Amino acid sequence: MTNNDILKKLRVALKLRNDEIVDILALVDFKITKSELGAFFRKEDHPNYVECGDQILRNFLNGMVIHYRGTKENPIDPETSLPKPVTSAQPKAHKAATPPSYKDKQKRKIDQDISPVRYKNKKKS
């Protein structure tokens, strides 16, 4: 796995835009433009593809630590800095209070992606 792959996967996993990555790199005094950053995310056979060096990835990871944790002198509360997981609209207590009926259990087992099949030569009874 190359540094470019790691950078791409981190960008997707953390839902970061290019300008946010530039800001994170600025936290460790590493200046990079959006166009230089975009070259790292291209396919390998693209003419403007550039390999991500160890220094850029190292600075990005150090900037991520500062972005999410803060510095030793000025720590950030993890409750407010880390992204919250997405929760469902209904509270879990409501689901646990009423057990699902037998029909509901059977409906969940049905694969909704498959449409019902219509046979051309249907037997008449």
Side-chain angles (χ1 to χ4, degrees):
M1 183 177 260
T2 65
N3 290 344
N4 293 58
D5 294 334
I6 295 169
L7 196 61
K8 285 179 196 176
K9 290 183 184 297
L10 283 172
R11 181 180 72 161
V12 171
L14 298 171
K15 299 177 186 172
L16 296 172
R17 296 186 316 261
N18 284 353
D19 58 337
E20 292 172 333
I21 294 174
V22 170
D23 294 339
I24 288 172
L25 286 168
L27 292 173
V28 290
D29 298 328
F30 191 86
K31 297 185 194 285
I32 191 169
T33 63
K34 289 183 190 178
S35 59
E36 290 173 329
L37 189 63
F40 299 136
F41 300 124
R42 298 184 188 278
K43 290 188 177 183
E44 291 182 20
D45 57 349
H46 194 278
N48 294 338
Y49 171 80
V50 176
E51 283 195 29
C52 179
D54 293 338
Q55 180 184 12
I56 294 169
L57 186 61
R58 183 183 69 238
N59 282 315
F60 176 68
L61 293 173
N62 288 334
M64 294 271 303
V65 170
I66 294 171
H67 178 71
Y68 285 112
R69 287 194 214 159
T71 59
K72 276 188 174 183
E73 297 81 28
N74 189 13
I76 297 175
D77 184 25
E79 294 292 323
T80 60
S81 65
L82 294 176
K84 303 290 182 210
V86 178
T87 58
S88 63
Q90 293 180 342
K92 290 188 178 184
H94 181 267
K95 288 182 181 177
T98 57
S101 68
Y102 179 75
K103 287 186 177 182
D104 291 336
K105 289 180 185 177
Q106 294 299 319
K107 285 180 183 177
R108 271 191 260 146
K109 290 182 181 179
I110 297 173
D111 190 4
Q112 300 295 332
D113 295 338
I114 301 173
S115 61
V117 179
R118 293 187 179 211
Y119 296 102
K120 291 181 181 178
N121 299 329
K122 198 172 189 182
K123 288 185 179 180
K124 295 181 182 179
S125 47

